[in-house]
Amino acid sequence: MSGDDAMPGLAMHVLRRLSELQETHGWVSDGSLSALSEAESIPLSALEAVASFHPRYRRTPPPRCSIAICRDAPCAIRGARALTESTRRRLASRIDVAVEEVSCLGRCDVAPVAVINDVPLAFATDARLEAMALGMAPIPSAEPVPTGRRFATDPYGPGERRYGVLERMLAGDRAAIDTIPSLLVASGLGGAAGADVATGRAWERVRNAPGQPKYVICNAHDSEPGAFKDRVILAELSHLVIEGMLIACRVIGATTAIVYLRPEYVPERIAIAHAIDEAERQGALAAAEVESLTIFTSPGGYILGEETALLEVLEGRRGVPRAGPPFPPTHGLYGRPTLQSDVETFAHVPRILSDGPKRWFARGRNGGAGLKFIALAGDVVKPGVYEVATGTTVRELIDVHGGGVPEGRELVGFLPGGASAALLPASKLDTPLSFDAVRAAGSSLGSGAVMALAKGRDVLAVAANAVRFFRNESCGVCVPCRVGSEKAVEILERALAGTSTQEEFQALPALHKTICGSSLCALGTVALVPAISVLDHFPERLKPKSRTDRQAPA
């Protein structure tokens, strides 16, 4: 079962129906919502609550052509604001074309990025967007284009039959399957999206949790600015993600698995659907005793990637984080034991079981274990996703893999783990890319997203851009998070304009502490981290700047 078919439960069926209405008509009208309410015997108020909360569902007719341009830091430093303004000017007379700014589109390596009628456009220019909007140039195809790139994580050579690791695992007895969680613990595999939790222990916990059915969910929703490695893994190593999920299903005793995908990844959704079809043709689903392996496309919004907000969405409700305990491993989807993990973690599982944990562990360096996918963006010659030994230093990543800084400029600092991480100064470039080492340096590896900032970049503008992202993406349920993030943005914007005092900026740590103590989810705990890191590592930036020294905010 592939694509968006055969969703378990009425809740996901209803969200599918809403998505079908959107795709068929371009929007969800009051009349169509009423008809759906009557057909499914669901209160109209419940449908309204879901449709109004999720940004994917339009409640008014869309224009003939819709252009969305990313406004977040990796695109902002590549001229996204100017691109948006010039595109709007070029198309100002066309009432059938809409141009809007949106949050990260997950393609930071080809910034600035735009989406035109849901199709991503790399290295977007105003001239290209105008030509496509007016029908003078074709809109690119959404079909994925294989690159032929080889990754050490992939245990299969070109043309080799896939799912062999799963087949070998199933050829042994049950005792061999039962040892897999301990093998994963010995390998050092942690939550590659930033959770830093031993994968094997997470599997063991769900396996031992009472109750059936059990579920396996691949959280492919990471939509933090700078975090785009999952996109590349989904596009080029989708078979490993599927095989890792099938192995997890057999280990914990689940018969249902779901790839929970962010809506911007249209080509990647096609690639994953192809991988599921291939696995089914080869009998991998049947061998793993999996009855349903499907793709669920999220209704959009950063908060919907939070592990409990995700469950709320799958159960047909507003994507608001749950307060725990209990937690998903014992009380997840529909209150049943649920294993959630990220794209990269599932993709590593076949190689670990093929290598053996000791050999996999030895692939790391400087205390790191195994291999790591890192998304590199910002001021580098060759931004992209690189597969490196865990523990590779930031300097080596930028200089050797990323080709260094354009025009030989010096670096002023870097983000080691996406927009939620603390900015670090260039003096810490020799920090190994491992959870422990980056934590010791004063930041977090997070989602494995490194953003390099060359001398001349305004670190305060980059931090303000990140805080603005979290303000925009807050679900709004926690009042301190909703109000506090807005207050922080106001302070930062005044600081950028040179109209705030250093004392005002010094109030941010107390505001951060208040939000952390009252937030339901991790968004509140990280929203102000980039700004506070400027206070910690770049205090000279808080001194008043002359008018000629000021840069436009990112």
Side-chain angles (χ1 to χ4, degrees):
M1 303 179 187
S2 63
D4 295 303
D5 300 326
M7 290 296 179
L10 176 62
M12 284 187 274
H13 169 70
V14 169
L15 283 171
R16 260 188 70 216
R17 291 291 302 277
L18 285 173
S19 297
E20 288 170 359
L21 289 173
Q22 170 94 2
E23 291 170 8
T24 301
H25 305 290
W27 64 301
V28 179
S29 67
D30 292 343
S32 62
L33 211 59
S34 296
L36 180 60
S37 171
E38 183 175 349
E40 303 293 350
S41 300
I42 297 174
L44 181 59
S45 59
L47 291 178
E48 286 280 6
V50 174
S52 62
F53 181 84
H54 299 300
R56 184 184 184 193
Y57 303 126
R58 302 187 190 96
R59 300 310 309 279
T60 56
R64 177 189 58 81
C65 179
S66 177
I67 297 173
I69 300 173
C70 177
R71 63 186 165 212
D72 292 321
C75 285
I77 69 172
R78 296 295 179 97
R81 177 176 291 182
L83 172 63
T84 302
E85 292 172 352
S86 60
T87 303
R88 282 173 173 163
R89 284 196 301 270
R90 283 173 174 263
L91 296 167
S93 63
R94 300 301 299 254
I95 61 173
D96 60 342
V97 180
V99 181
E100 63 176 339
E101 290 183 311
V102 295
S103 290
C104 185
L105 296 168
R107 302 178 189 278
C108 315
D109 50 335
V110 290
V113 180
V115 167
I116 180 165
N117 287 354
D118 295 327
V119 177
L121 182 66
F123 304 115
T125 66
D126 52 1
R128 290 180 69 196
L129 289 171
E130 179 187 29
M132 291 177 187
L134 300 181
M136 295 184 295
I139 296 175
S141 169
E143 284 288 334
V145 179
T147 65
R149 183 176 170 185
R150 290 286 301 145
F151 294 93
T153 297
D154 193 350
Y156 304 107
E160 186 177 350
R161 178 182 169 84
R162 294 165 174 171
Y163 303 99
V165 175
L166 173 66
E167 291 174 354
R168 290 192 295 274
M169 180 194 83
L170 296 177
D173 57 20
R174 181 68 213 187
I177 296 175
D178 291 344
T179 64
I180 287 177
S182 61
L183 294 177
L184 296 179
V185 171
S187 75
L189 182 66
D196 197 15
V197 175
T199 299
R201 291 196 180 95
W203 287 31
E204 190 72 33
R205 185 179 179 189
V206 180
R207 188 170 77 119
N208 292 336
Q212 283 289 344
K214 296 181 179 181
Y215 299 96
V216 168
I217 299 174
C218 175
N219 187 345
H221 200 281
D222 194 5
S223 49
E224 190 171 300
F228 56 94
K229 64 180 176 59
D230 285 358
R231 188 200 84 228
V232 172
I233 297 171
L234 290 170
E236 303 191 41
L237 296 171
S238 51
H239 59 287
L240 296 185
V241 178
I242 299 305
E243 186 169 22
M245 293 178 70
L246 293 176
I247 292 170
C249 284
R250 188 58 185 270
V251 169
I252 72 166
T255 59
T256 298
I258 302 164
V259 179
Y260 181 86
L261 188 67
R262 60 181 294 189
E264 296 85 2
Y265 284 174
V266 176
E268 292 70 32
R269 182 175 65 195
I270 296 171
I272 279 284
H274 289 335
I276 295 173
D277 288 341
E278 178 189 29
E280 190 166 34
R281 287 195 305 270
Q282 291 192 12
L285 272 69
E289 300 178 2
V290 171
E291 299 171 0
S292 174
L293 173 52
T294 56
I295 301 169
F296 180 87
T297 302
S298 157
Y302 172 75
I303 194 64
L304 302 191
E306 193 275 335
E307 66 171 0
T308 60
L310 175 159
L311 298 174
E312 290 291 299
V313 171
L314 290 177
E315 292 179 12
R317 293 187 290 272
R318 295 160 63 96
V320 175
R322 299 174 179 175
F327 298 107
T330 57
H331 296 76
L333 188 61
Y334 305 120
R336 300 297 183 180
T338 302
L339 173 67
Q340 286 193 47
S341 200
D342 59 275
V343 170
E344 182 178 353
T345 297
F346 280 125
H348 283 317
V349 168
R351 170 56 83 182
I352 291 172
L353 298 182
S354 177
D355 275 2
K358 289 184 179 179
R359 184 178 176 191
W360 166 266
F361 191 96
R363 288 177 180 268
R365 294 167 47 192
N366 298 318
L371 300 172
K372 185 82 183 75
F373 286 89
I374 299 290
L376 177 62
D379 291 316
V380 291
V381 174
K382 297 185 295 183
V385 172
Y386 296 98
E387 181 191 41
V388 300
T390 302
T392 297
T393 66
V394 178
R395 186 186 303 276
E396 183 179 349
L397 174 74
I398 293 172
D399 291 346
V400 177
H401 298 280
V405 182
E407 300 170 359
R409 289 184 291 165
E410 295 180 24
L411 284 177
V412 65
F414 61 96
L415 280 164
S420 62
L423 278 156
L424 294 177
S427 60
K428 299 197 176 187
L429 279 170
D430 291 315
T431 300
L433 287 163
S434 67
F435 287 109
D436 291 342
V438 177
R439 187 184 299 117
S443 188
S444 66
L445 187 56
S447 54
V450 174
M451 182 174 169
L453 301 172
K455 191 171 184 179
R457 292 291 179 198
D458 188 343
V459 292
L460 184 59
V462 172
N465 185 290
V467 176
R468 198 178 298 118
F469 166 82
F470 291 114
R471 185 273 313 269
N472 294 342
E473 296 297 323
S474 171
C475 73
V477 167
C478 307
V479 174
C481 179
R482 182 178 73 242
V483 177
S485 61
E486 179 63 40
K487 179 65 175 177
V489 169
E490 291 174 3
I491 293 172
L492 291 166
E493 290 182 344
R494 285 198 295 273
L496 288 168
T499 59
S500 69
T501 64
Q502 191 163 3
E503 290 74 19
E504 187 178 35
F505 202 88
Q506 294 283 353
L508 287 177
L511 181 59
H512 171 62
K513 185 177 180 180
T514 299
I515 297 174
C516 287
S518 56
S519 177
L520 273 175
C521 75
L523 185 149
T525 65
V526 302
L528 274 59
V529 167
I532 292 170
S533 68
V534 175
L535 192 64
D536 293 339
H537 300 298
F538 304 91
E540 69 281 358
R541 176 56 188 93
L542 302 179
K543 297 175 182 178
K545 301 183 75 175
S546 68
R547 184 176 299 274
T548 55
D549 286 340
R550 292 177 195 154
Q551 291 185 348

